[in-house]
Amino acid sequence: SWAHGKLPESVPATETLAKRFRDWDEGSLSFLENCLRYEPEQRQTCAQLMRHPYFTEGDFIPRFEAELKEMLERDAQDFKMRSKKSRRSKGRATAPPPALGT
């Protein structure tokens, strides 16, 4: 018995990734399978995964670079807007309330 209940006697058959993601290409499925291997000794390291054809072949690098550039530009714009708002609010220091009885 397990602290959170009883484990099943048998584990039902699982759905394969290929069946689950029928419209994925073989390279994407291969990458996902390598990421999700149950046994850690059989699972690829991050360095090995980065050398997978998913990253090294096709148009991944140009797509990634374009998307990253766009995200960084949006982030820079957002940072500029926040900085301006912060400077404006600091410039509007509020006067202390008037003393009572004066």
Side-chain angles (χ1 to χ4, degrees):
S1 185
W2 183 46
H4 298 287
K6 188 175 178 182
L7 292 174
E9 294 298 321
S10 65
V11 177
T14 57
E15 185 177 21
T16 65
L17 292 174
K19 281 186 177 179
R20 177 75 162 171
F21 303 105
R22 294 178 196 274
D23 57 339
W24 284 27
D25 62 83
E26 192 173 317
S28 298
L29 284 171
S30 168
F31 176 75
L32 189 59
E33 287 169 350
N34 286 322
C35 290
L36 299 177
R37 293 197 192 282
Y38 184 75
E39 296 296 329
E41 306 83 39
Q42 295 176 359
R43 199 175 312 130
Q44 290 189 349
T45 65
C46 290
Q48 290 170 321
L49 290 169
M50 292 303 296
R51 292 189 298 270
H52 189 277
Y54 179 83
F55 293 113
T56 60
E57 296 175 2
D59 67 342
F60 176 82
I61 292 173
R63 280 187 306 112
F64 175 78
E65 287 175 344
E67 187 175 330
L68 180 61
K69 181 180 178 184
E70 182 181 316
M71 289 172 64
L72 290 172
E73 288 171 352
R74 273 196 314 256
D75 191 47
Q77 284 299 110
D78 186 44
F79 179 76
K80 285 179 186 176
M81 288 174 56
R82 286 188 203 174
S83 295
K84 286 179 183 177
K85 285 181 183 178
S86 176
R87 281 188 294 235
R88 276 187 263 157
S89 65
K90 286 180 183 175
R92 285 190 242 139
T94 56
L100 292 175
T102 54

